[in-house]
Structures are given as C-alpha cells and as structure tokens.
Amino acid sequence: MSYSRPTSTIPVPRYPNGIACIAVVGKQNNPLLIQTFGNAADQELKYHYLAHMSCDYVDEKLRSGSKSGDLYLGLLCTIESQNVYGYMTNTRVKFLIVIPTTVPTKDSEVKAAFDVIHSAYIDLLGNPFYDPDSTQMVASPRFRARLQTLAAPVAS
Amino acid sequence: MQQALSGMNSRLSSIGGSVVGAGDARTRAQLDRSITRPRVGEVSLSAFAFLFSELVQYSQKHVKGIQDLEKRLNLVGYRVGQRLLELLVFRDRGSKRDVKLLNALLFINTNVWKALFGKPADSLEKSSEHDDEYMISDNDLVVNRYISIPKEMAQLNTGAFVAGIVEAMLDGSGFPARVTAHTVPVAGFPFRTTILIKFDAKVMEREKRLADK
C-alpha cells in the first residue's frame, strides 16, 4: 500500500481449521459474500442461515446503544456450538466471523482479523467498477483471495 | 507562476509549463524537500485541474441546464465520497463511528478536507434561521481554482463535486442530507465557496432524542 493504514500490533492471526466462515453483509442486510473454509466448505446453506440470524443480534447490539460507536461488536451469539463475532463499518456494512467453540480464541485476535477484512473491503471499494449500493454478491476474486489467506491452513 | 514554484512547503507540486527555466526551479524544489516527512498521497495539481476540467466538459455535453450539470457533478462526487468515507474512517478514526451530528461535521471539516486538500476547511457555521442547516466554507476551493464561470452560468458552482463528496459521507454515516455548493463572495475572497448542508427531519429528531437522554 502506498499509504499507511493502522496495523494492529498483534500479528495477523492464522486460524488453521479455526475460522469456519466469513460473511459480509451489506447495509440492507443483504448477503454480499459468504465464504466457508476447511471442513465446513460443504455446508454453505447452513452459514447463510447463520449469517441471517446474526443480523438480528447486530441490530440488538446497536439498539442497546453503544454510545462510543465502536466498530467491533464482540461476540454476538453462540449457535450450535459456533461462536459468531460481529463488526460493523461506518457505512453499515457488517462482517461476521464464525468460529467453532472448540477453537480457543482471544478477543484481540478476532479484532485483528476484522481489521484485515476491513482493509480488504476498502480495497474492494477502491475498484471503480464495484457499486457499493448493489445487492449482488461480491464477484471480485481478489477480495475472496484475501479472505482465503486469512483463514488458510498454515503451511507446515 | 513563480509563486507556485517557490513554495517549498506547498503540498501540491508546481505547475509544469512552458515557462523557460521552470525545470531548474522545479528540481531545486524537489531537492529541498525533507526526506523525513512522508510525502505520500500527493497528486500533481495540474493533472487534477486537467482531469476536472475534462470532467466538467464531459458532463456539460450530456446535460441541458445548470441544475442538471450540478446534479451530475454531485453524483460523481457521491461515488468518490462513498469510498473515501470507509477509507478515512478506517485510517484516521481508528475504530469509531460518529453517532453525534456535530462530531460527523467536525470530522468532515478537518480530516476529510485535510486528506483531500491538505488543509482543514476555513469555517464551519450553523445557520441561525434554520435549525437543520450548516455551512462549511472554503476561501479558495482547489477544484474551482482554475475554473472561471461564464456570465450566463453565474449560478453554477463546480464545487458541486465537493458537495457530492460531503453528501456521500454524511449519507453513509447515517445523516442523510441535501448538500449544495454556492459562491458567497466575501471581502478579500471573491471566490469563496460555501457548502450548504440541509439535514433531513429524521436526523434532527434523532439528535434531539440523543441530546435529551
């Protein structure tokens, strides 16, 4: 990058077989991208439902009034032994990370992961051919690839 | 022309040109730049001026009136503003969303103007007659510096582009508003541009609710 972005002091976390799914939900609660990783790759429909359910939790978190207006929403809910963490950007685009409860996670690591996703989303916005108001799923292969590296199993 | 070349701390690079000897002065200015201060994010002023003038010409071909032209420039600015909002909030604001109206306006006033034009806007005022109107003024808007409006179009202000940027940022942050640009000459600054922001009724209600809590 030619300009500096805030980089968290915690190194970018790798979650080999950790992150089950990353979901990007647009401002009208329309799914922009639902990407599953590892063992969960064949259960995409289930993660669509999960993302949909989590939207309600996000709304609840917002209404219970975070006066500080923090972007990181924390652990939203635990459904079927999956933890769902939420993050909302300034323009009401939400990112959700689903991690099975069996994987030990620290809040700071999840925050760092969200920063990476946010950075990738900003780069996606930089594409003049991407319409941020569209309701279609994101078709950019580069964005998907960035998310893939975040959740990829660590090469031994 | 010479003033532009001699500015050592000017954020925008000097205008390249047909003036003889411009090359020497320019290299001297380059060598005098400090190495320690990062000079990222700078664009040549002349390149931008050409691009913007082409943008205005292109828009003019497709419209039938001044209002239309302003609306078109506004739309272009809107697209820029949408992307700029995400980037600037992430970069300059850490992880905070602006929930209060005044904070969002201050953010635009300083951070956005600084990122776009290298200096904070000249003033931010609240209109005394209407509760939901605010004005951001700039004595010398960079986009308008090399544009001279012909007499038939005296009502046009190409700052509509910047108005579009501001509108997108407010819209995206949850403060829908109508934003327009007007020329308000003031003693000493004949080209002063004022960006008028008129918020929707819903925004004012919400502000009142938050203020009472």
Side-chain angles (χ1 to χ4, degrees), chain A residues 69-70 90-91 118 125 128 130, chain B residues 79 83 86 89 95 97 172:
Chain A
D70 224 7
N90 223 321
T91 40
H118 197 171
L125 275 190
Y130 175 67
Chain B
R79 280 172 57 102
R83 293 158 165 87
E86 283 276 10
V89 165
S95 292
R97 242 180 342 121

Side-chain angles (χ1 to χ4, degrees), chain A residues 57 86 108 115:
Chain A
Y57 286 97
S108 46
D115 273 340

Side-chain angles (χ1 to χ4, degrees), chain A residues 1-52:
Chain A
M1 300 295 130
S2 54
Y3 40 80
S4 61
R5 296 237 189 99
T7 46
S8 40
T9 47
I10 301 138
V12 173
R14 300 280 180 176
Y15 286 101
N17 308 320
I19 298 190
C21 159
I22 295 183
V24 178
V25 180
K27 28 183 168 214
Q28 284 121 350
N29 284 349
N30 52 311
L32 288 178
L33 182 77
I34 311 238
Q35 194 157 338
T36 51
F37 305 101
N39 310 335
D42 45 354
Q43 293 176 322
E44 242 193 67
L45 192 58
K46 169 172 150 199
Y47 288 103
H48 267 269
Y49 283 140
L50 227 106
H52 202 237

